[in-house]
Amino acid sequence: SRGEASPLPPLALQYADFAAWQRSWLQGGVLERQLGYWRRQLDGAPRVLELPTDRPRPAVQSAHGARHYFALPVELAQGVSALGRREGTTLFMTLLAGFDVLLSRWSGQEEVLAGWPIAGRDRAGLEGLIGFFANMLVLRADLGGEPGFRQLLVRLREAALGAYTHGDLPFEQLVEELQPERHLSHNPIFQVFFVLHHVPDAPPDATRLPGLALSFPSIDNRTSRLDLSLSLTEGRDGLAGFLEYNTELFETATIERMAGHLINLLAGAVADPDAAVADLPMLSAEERLQLLEAWNDTRTALPAESTVHALVEAQVARTPGAVALTFEGEDLTYADLDARANHLADHLRSLGAGPGTLVGVFLDRSANMVAVLLAVLKSGAAYVPLDPTYPQDRVAYVVEDSGAAILLTEERLRWELPETTAEIVEIDTLDLADDLAAGELPAAGPDDLAYVIYTSGSTGRPKGVEVRHGGVVNFLASMAHQPGLTAADTLVAVTTISFDIAGLELYLPLSVGARILLASRDEAMDGGSLSTLLEGATVLQATPATWRMLLTSGWQGSPGLKALCGGEALPADLARDISSRVGSLWNVYGPTETTIWSATRSVQVDEAFAAAVPVGRPIANTSIHLLDRRFAPVPAGVVGELYIGGDGLARGYLRRPGLTAERFVPDPFAWESGARLYRTGDLARRLPNGEVEFIGRADHQVKVRGFRIELGEIEAAFSDHPAIAQAVVAVLPDATGSNQLVAYLVQAEGKVASVGNLRAALRESLPEYMIPSHFVTLQALPLTPNGKVDRKALPVPGGERPELERELVAPRTPIEEGVAAIWSEVLGRPRIGVFDNFFELGGHSLMATQVVSRIRETYRVDVTLPVLFKSPTVAGLAEAVVQKELERADADMLAQLLASFES
């Protein structure tokens, strides 16, 4: 500025000298030592930091970003600095430890990888040289073993010093050498970044120039290089900075909460450095109050009737002549239904039924079935539903395990029952006098059992859930209010009584004076038949798989229908298709252990969802908590395990006190003593508006087409087969978007088992819905470094034909060719033999509906779903098509003859 010569000394080096030196030095043993260190450090590290995002990660990540500015209070900044000095860590290391704790608590991962920049000018000759020397390092923070914050600082100090020592390897070369799994949706190795700046309060004298004022502005160019970056600056006023975030992943409110949580965690660490990092306080008092109380304020008065049958009896008194139930064209009034139930209840009482007694019900769907269930409840006993379609071994196990004293069945079904010491009663052969009345039956109260439902068990055996009258009454009262049901409604009941969903279909209409339209088993499985039943109906509750079956069968919708969807996650596309065809759509959620449904949500026609519809908010007298592994509430947006409390909780598991104590735990957040929470094993998170969004399972329990399944039970069944050495069962989406079971098998040495043989063996102990759709044979199961099965590495089943007992026989007629082509398209398999079994090729009931629907469209014949179930081959189905065409031709010929006679 003054025209003088530069006072700076001549440079001994140029940047090109440094670049040439670095390339020649970073070779051979030096390079191998650097690479060896980083290979050891990053071996087995998480591939990606799974921070919960507000939107799904795009296939190709953009750089769109924003910043949230915040500052640490002065006292806290001083406390963090003092803590670092006491523990021998730099301010950078101490702040990074707090950031790592935040990332671990938000992601649920015990290992966190974060990147940070170093200046790279670690040699005296480079200090004054203009050029790019900065490098990126990565630090792997280990938060496993529940360390205290002080212990974490020790770990991070050692890791940081090791990284600095081996920081000469350019990051891009590290990526090239390690060859991590690459994806355009995220940065390799690390996706978060931390940088600490030190900026002097004023420019030093050496940089003051005449006529110029120097400052250090912060420039926000609305970009984000990574998912998330924390940038802090140390100045006279303490620590301030910003969180830079990718706006395609995160909302502003989420990042604001994250910044607040970082401040709270650091404050907790300063106050108690020895506290476990998992116990450091993260939530503000306002957040905690909102999570635990405001979003669980569901207290509602219950009806005076405290048992299920009392609710029904009160409705009988109000509308005795109204139609309560319709089955296959037969109407049954409330008075008739009540009379049938009373007569049988009186007989059951004479056999010793009462509170504490379990009565097995082994019946097909019929009007009598509903009367029998009510009769058991009226007798004071609880019923145990037994599905006649289940394998005899499973029925035998449930009868023995439950200790049912009485078994109710019909004469034609008795031979299917296993040997038992229980008293078997054939209800269709009983001579119940018309003048018998229920009389003074033993009084069942709200804490007595209404039914025991057996669900899939992780040990390989089903377990009985003891459901109380009070839980069912609370559920019915809540459902009657919302989603709502009135005496003017007609509800189509499609669910087997072996699943608790049937409780809504049967008892909710009977408690409000509505009509039940009971679908037969065949009608419930056939989309066309179910579409016919829906004409004039006002309510249908079904699983996503059943709704898809309806849509694929050509159902055009019912503008006056109230649709309830539950049993598994409701995909966004299915919600859109249903809501556009009905009057209203409700997503419902809940496990058997908390009595049918525990949360509901209304779905609007124009709503958009990223993946699945949120499950909503808790029903009346119900609480929902999302907790971490230390039983502490997680903040909104963070994934936690879902716990449910309130009046709907079951008593526990029948004759399994250990399992009951494990899953039904004390509720530390309840006002009343003795309250419990049910640990669902589901992972979920709160949305900013308080609604709950289902994420998945924490264990290997899954939902497939609405059925709750423990994968361990299927794997245990495989272990009994002599040809199978190892078995792992997983869940993958099929071509329809529904979940399907896939078995990965390692066969025993010298043994071979066909798919048909394996399916037949599984059917001896498992119901059909638990039979895998695909059987994949592997030489060995893929394992993680710690020896566990690497489920992420299991291959996706291909379209090849599985190992079947029959040789492939190509289609022989045009109709067989057409049927095979339809199968091929639905199943995703290019080669179909005419004698191949549809279900051994991976088909299930929803796919079967698609096949039947397309055959109807193609050949204009009325082939029904049961035809495919009875003869599940191309040849069998083609023969049925030919038969239907012949019948149509005969009918056309007869019509022509009649027309000629008339003329």
Side-chain angles (χ1 to χ4, degrees):
S1 64
R2 295 194 297 267
E4 301 174 0
S6 171
L8 298 177
L11 293 173
L13 295 172
Q14 294 295 328
Y15 188 77
D17 300 322
F18 165 77
W21 168 83
Q22 184 187 51
R23 291 179 183 178
S24 62
W25 173 76
L26 198 58
Q27 295 182 23
V30 175
L31 176 61
E32 190 53 42
R33 283 193 296 274
Q34 294 267 336
L35 282 174
Y37 170 82
W38 288 111
R39 287 194 186 101
R40 292 190 300 273
Q41 282 297 106
L42 300 178
D43 182 45
R47 300 171 186 171
V48 65
L49 181 63
E50 299 287 355
L51 286 174
T53 58
D54 296 307
R55 284 178 287 276
R57 184 180 293 275
V60 177
Q61 186 171 18
S62 76
H64 300 306
R67 290 178 179 179
H68 169 66
Y69 291 88
F70 67 101
L72 272 65
V74 175
E75 298 82 1
L76 176 57
Q78 294 171 347
V80 172
S81 297
L83 174 60
R85 287 193 297 271
R86 290 196 304 270
E87 300 304 322
T89 57
T90 65
L91 179 61
F92 169 82
M93 295 175 186
T94 310
L95 290 170
L96 179 58
F99 189 40
D100 283 336
V101 173
L102 173 74
L103 297 174
S104 175
R105 294 277 291 271
W106 268 65
S107 68
Q109 295 176 217
E110 291 185 343
E111 289 190 320
V112 174
L113 270 64
W116 86 93
I118 58 172
R121 299 174 185 267
D122 53 358
R123 292 167 177 81
L126 305 180
E127 184 178 2
L129 186 62
I130 294 175
F132 186 79
F133 298 90
N135 191 23
M136 294 296 301
L137 298 183
V138 57
L139 191 144
R140 181 178 181 178
D142 177 13
L143 290 86
E146 307 293 352
F149 192 79
R150 194 190 307 272
Q151 184 181 356
L152 177 62
L153 285 177
V154 174
R155 294 181 184 181
L156 283 183
R157 180 178 58 206
E158 296 302 316
L161 292 175
Y164 280 127
T165 304
H166 299 85
D168 292 305
L169 183 71
F171 179 73
E172 61 270 22
Q173 191 170 352
L174 173 65
V175 174
E176 182 180 346
E177 292 289 342
L178 293 183
Q179 287 294 306
E181 182 180 350
R182 303 297 295 273
H183 201 286
L184 292 176
S185 66
H186 59 76
N187 202 62
I189 300 183
F190 63 84
Q191 297 81 43
V192 294
F193 181 77
F194 175 56
V195 59
L196 176 64
H197 301 282
H198 176 79
V199 177
D201 299 325
D205 291 340
T207 58
R208 295 195 179 190
L209 303 177
L212 294 178
L214 275 70
S215 62
F216 298 87
S218 176
I219 301 173
D220 183 359
N221 56 10
R222 310 299 293 176
T223 63
S224 179
R225 290 160 289 183
L226 301 172
D227 292 359
L228 183 69
S229 301
L230 172 62
S231 179
L232 292 176
T233 300
E234 182 188 18
R236 182 181 59 185
D237 297 329
L239 288 164
F242 55 83
L243 279 169
E244 185 177 86
Y245 59 97
N246 188 300
T247 53
E248 289 193 348
L249 299 178
F250 300 104
E251 296 282 358
T252 302
T254 299
I255 302 302
E256 290 174 352
R257 285 196 303 275
M258 193 178 289
H261 294 162
L262 176 61
I263 292 173
N264 294 338
L265 288 169
L266 289 171
V270 169
D272 185 5
D274 291 315
V277 294
D279 291 333
L280 291 175
M282 186 165 63
L283 299 174
S284 66
E286 293 78 10
E287 278 184 292
R288 188 176 177 86
L289 184 66
Q290 185 180 58
L291 290 168
L292 298 180
E293 297 185 26
W295 285 341
N296 283 313
D297 185 12
T298 62
R299 299 309 302 176
T300 306
L302 289 173
E305 296 81 11
S306 61
T307 62
V308 177
H309 54 281
L311 285 175
V312 178
E313 288 168 348
Q315 186 58 45
V316 172
R318 289 191 290 267
T319 58
V323 175
L325 173 68
T326 300
F327 179 72
E328 294 184 342
E330 176 191 0
D331 289 338
L332 200 63
T333 67
Y334 274 84
D336 291 339
L337 179 64
D338 193 55
R340 289 191 191 184
N342 283 339
H343 289 137
L344 182 56
D346 190 75
H347 183 73
L348 290 173
R349 187 180 59 165
S350 71
L351 298 177
T357 306
L358 294 182
V359 177
V361 177
F362 189 75
L363 293 171
D364 280 327
R365 298 171 68 77
S366 67
N368 269 342
M369 178 195 75
V370 180
V372 166
L373 298 181
L374 284 174
V376 175
L377 298 178
K378 284 171 174 282
S379 75
Y383 63 84
V384 181
L386 303 166
D387 196 318
T389 66
Y390 280 3
Q392 194 172 57
D393 283 355
R394 190 180 182 89
V395 174
Y397 171 80
V398 172
V399 171
E400 180 182 359
D401 185 74
S402 66
I406 303 168
L407 287 180
L408 302 179
T409 187
E410 294 176 341
E411 185 177 19
R412 65 182 181 83
L413 293 174
R414 177 166 184 163
W415 67 272
E416 296 182 19
L417 279 170
E419 292 186 9
T420 176
T421 58
E423 182 164 356
I424 298 177
V425 177
E426 299 171 359
I427 62 170
D428 53 341
T429 64
L430 287 177
D431 183 16
L432 299 175
D434 290 339
D435 58 349
L436 281 177
E440 293 296 327
L441 295 176
D447 289 328
D448 286 310
L449 296 183
Y451 54 79
V452 175
I453 293 281
Y454 273 76
T455 66
S456 180
S458 58
T459 60
R461 288 295 190 179
K463 54 188 183 293
V465 182
E466 302 174 299
V467 180
R468 306 174 305 108
H469 274 276
V472 183
V473 169
N474 178 75
F475 167 75
L476 296 176
S478 182
M479 292 296 105
H481 173 68
Q482 191 180 67
L485 199 73
T486 70
D489 282 310
T490 295
L491 185 149
V492 178
V494 298
T495 308
T496 170
I497 60 169
S498 293
F499 288 87
D500 64 336
I501 301 174
L504 179 144
E505 296 179 336
L506 301 181
Y507 304 129
L508 182 57
L510 295 179
S511 66
V512 300
R515 179 172 71 108
I516 301 170
L517 182 55
L518 187 65
S520 68
R521 189 181 303 275
D522 286 346
E523 288 173 327
M525 294 173 61
D526 184 81
S529 301
L530 190 54
S531 297
T532 303
L533 284 180
L534 285 177
E535 297 175 3
T538 60
V539 182
L540 174 65
Q541 171 188 248
T543 64
T546 300
W547 285 110
R548 285 196 188 277
M549 177 185 72
L550 266 172
L551 293 171
T552 56
S553 70
W555 176 65
Q556 297 301 308
S558 304
L561 187 70
K562 181 176 293 184
L564 279 64
C565 188
E568 56 187 340
L570 173 57
D573 65 318
L574 181 59
R576 183 174 58 252
D577 290 342
I578 298 173
S579 61
S580 64
R581 289 172 168 83
V582 299
S584 63
L585 171 63
W586 290 79
N587 190 25
V588 287
Y589 162 85
T592 302
E593 288 84 350
T594 61
T595 310
I596 312 177
W597 306 130
S598 300
T600 63
R601 188 191 191 279
S602 175
V603 182
Q604 305 304 313
V605 177
D606 56 351
E607 279 191 284
F609 305 98
V613 178
V615 299
R617 298 177 181 271
I619 67 170
N621 303 309
T622 300
S623 62
I624 290 180
H625 299 291
L626 301 178
L627 309 178
D628 62 19
R629 62 181 182 274
R630 306 280 284 193
F631 217 62
V634 299
V638 175
V639 177
E641 185 172 354
L642 196 152
Y643 290 74
I644 300 176
D647 292 353
L649 258 66
R651 182 186 294 176
Y653 295 111
L654 182 66
R655 297 188 178 88
R656 284 171 171 75
L659 185 59
T660 298
E662 177 187 337
R663 306 302 295 186
F664 293 84
V665 297
D667 183 355
F669 314 115
W671 290 100
E672 63 274 12
S673 62
R676 300 176 303 159
L677 290 174
Y678 172 66
R679 183 177 186 176
T680 67
D682 288 339
L683 298 178
R685 65 176 180 175
R686 291 272 190 185
L687 299 178
N689 62 2
E691 292 185 342
V692 176
E693 181 182 54
F694 175 80
I695 302 298
R697 287 292 302 172
D699 53 23
H700 294 155
Q701 185 189 95
V702 297
K703 287 288 188 73
V704 176
R705 298 191 295 280
F707 297 108
R708 171 174 157 180
I709 296 171
E710 292 275 5
L711 298 181
E713 184 174 354
I714 307 174
E715 293 168 355
F718 272 115
S719 67
D720 294 333
H721 197 286
I724 301 303
Q726 291 177 282
V728 168
V729 180
V731 172
L732 295 173
D734 61 20
T736 69
S738 298
N739 285 340
Q740 64 176 344
L741 293 169
V742 180
Y744 296 90
L745 309 172
V746 177
Q747 299 200 358
E749 187 175 355
K751 301 290 182 66
V752 177
S754 68
V755 172
N757 177 272
L758 291 172
R759 289 178 64 89
L762 293 178
R763 282 198 189 97
E764 294 180 3
S765 59
L766 301 177
E768 187 64 35
Y769 66 84
M770 294 179 71
I771 308 297
S773 299
H774 291 270
F775 295 76
V776 180
T777 302
L778 302 174
Q779 293 297 318
L781 296 175
L783 302 178
T784 62
N786 59 8
K788 295 182 179 180
V789 175
D790 188 354
R791 292 179 174 268
K792 293 183 179 179
L794 292 169
V796 176
E800 67 278 358
R801 185 173 181 264
E803 185 66 34
L804 303 177
E805 292 179 351
R806 287 179 175 269
E807 295 293 331
L808 186 143
V809 177
R812 302 156 299 183
T813 68
I815 291 183
E816 286 184 348
E817 289 178 353
V819 173
I822 292 173
W823 281 31
S824 179
E825 184 178 351
V826 172
L827 293 171
R829 296 187 183 276
R831 300 173 67 229
I832 303 289
V834 296
F835 298 114
D836 289 350
N837 187 296
F838 179 79
F839 301 101
E840 291 178 5
L841 292 174
H844 52 67
S845 57
L846 181 57
M847 288 181 170
T849 300
Q850 290 181 311
V851 167
V852 170
S853 177
R854 295 186 188 189
I855 286 177
R856 287 173 176 168
E857 294 175 1
T858 303
Y859 297 102
R860 304 299 178 186
V861 294
D862 187 22
V863 172
T864 61
L865 195 62
V867 171
L868 178 56
F869 279 97
K870 292 174 183 176
S871 182
T873 65
V874 169
L877 205 52
E879 184 178 345
V881 171
V882 171
Q883 183 63 35
K884 290 292 184 179
E885 288 184 335
L886 289 174
E887 292 174 2
R888 184 174 61 194
D890 289 345
D892 291 344
M893 185 180 296
L894 179 59
Q896 291 174 6
L897 286 171
L898 289 174
S900 66
F901 286 141
E902 289 175 358
S903 64

